[in-house]
Amino acid sequence: MKNLEKGAEATAQAVYESERKRQEEKNQKLISQDGSENPVTIWRELGDLMTEHVTVTRINKNLQATHAKIQTLEDRYKKINLSDRARWSNQTLNFARELENMLVLSRVVTLGALARNESRGAHYKPEFPDRDDANWLKTTRAKWVNCDVQLTYEPVDISLIKPRARRYDVAK
């Protein structure tokens, strides 16, 4: 930050006004939507899905099925109905906005896990039980482009600490 030539105050007010308007439009769309889906139901299903298939043990066919199910949940999200339509202090609206973000992030995590065919750290893929530094000693980065997840990768700096296998030997 200290090396920046200009701070936030140098940004044109129109940028902030445009974003404020965009956020208000998103809120109004959700408040006035008259769908049949309950956001809490979608939230629970997403949580169950991620807990079952995208935790420590990761199996590619399950990750593929999870990604498809997340896309179905995203479609259902477009049909939610908020029980509270107030514009002031509306916790249901806040929850629905966060649920949209959770759906996006769940896709990021699932697609990142699906792409990484190795076992590393706390993540284990039975199909790929070994660490694969040749192909996967890199950081996964995700970007939201045109309503889709775009994964890219960047190298990991290992100049100070060389990679080594983790061993969890249990005393017998």
Side-chain angles (χ1 to χ4, degrees):
M1 295 291 297
K2 65 183 174 185
N3 294 328
L4 292 176
E5 291 181 26
K6 299 179 181 179
E9 66 278 354
T11 303
Q13 189 61 34
V15 171
Y16 298 112
E17 184 58 30
S18 172
E19 183 59 20
R20 184 191 61 74
K21 182 178 178 189
R22 188 176 79 86
Q23 295 301 325
E24 283 182 1
E25 287 170 358
K26 284 181 85 167
N27 287 347
Q28 187 56 46
K29 181 177 183 242
L30 284 169
I31 287 171
S32 59
Q33 206 165 282
D34 192 25
S36 59
E37 291 285 348
N38 183 329
V40 174
T41 302
I42 295 171
W43 171 76
R44 281 192 184 121
E45 288 179 30
L46 178 63
D48 291 344
L49 186 66
M50 295 299 286
T51 299
E52 185 173 350
H53 299 296
V54 195
T55 53
V56 174
T57 302
R58 298 173 171 187
I59 298 168
N60 281 346
K61 68 177 181 164
N62 294 346
L63 293 170
Q64 290 166 342
T66 297
H67 182 252
K69 179 66 174 175
I70 292 168
Q71 290 176 306
T72 300
L73 293 174
E74 288 175 324
D75 289 340
R76 287 175 52 198
Y77 176 84
K78 294 173 187 170
K79 301 173 194 161
I80 63 171
N81 190 342
L82 303 185
S83 58
D84 183 355
R85 298 190 184 280
R87 294 185 59 76
W88 174 255
S89 190
N90 185 334
Q91 296 304 306
T92 306
L93 175 61
N94 292 341
F95 179 83
R97 292 291 304 263
E98 290 304 320
L99 177 58
E100 182 179 24
N101 295 332
M102 287 180 217
L103 288 162
V104 170
L105 289 175
S106 67
R107 280 182 59 198
V108 168
V109 172
T110 302
L111 289 172
L114 183 58
R116 189 174 280 271
N117 285 327
E118 67 163 353
S119 293
R120 177 179 297 272
H123 302 130
Y124 175 69
K125 277 193 171 178
E127 302 116 310
F128 305 93
D130 298 317
R131 199 167 95 177
D132 181 2
D133 286 351
N135 293 306
W136 290 107
L137 185 59
K138 52 190 167 186
T139 299
T140 304
R141 297 193 56 164
K143 191 172 184 179
W144 189 245
V145 179
N146 298 323
C147 297
D148 202 9
V149 177
Q150 181 183 77
L151 298 178
T152 58
Y153 303 92
E154 66 181 33
V156 174
D157 178 4
I158 59 170
S159 63
L160 298 175
I161 300 174
K162 300 296 178 202
R164 60 186 169 87
R166 291 186 185 182
R167 299 279 183 233
Y168 301 101
D169 299 324
V170 178
K172 295 181 182 178

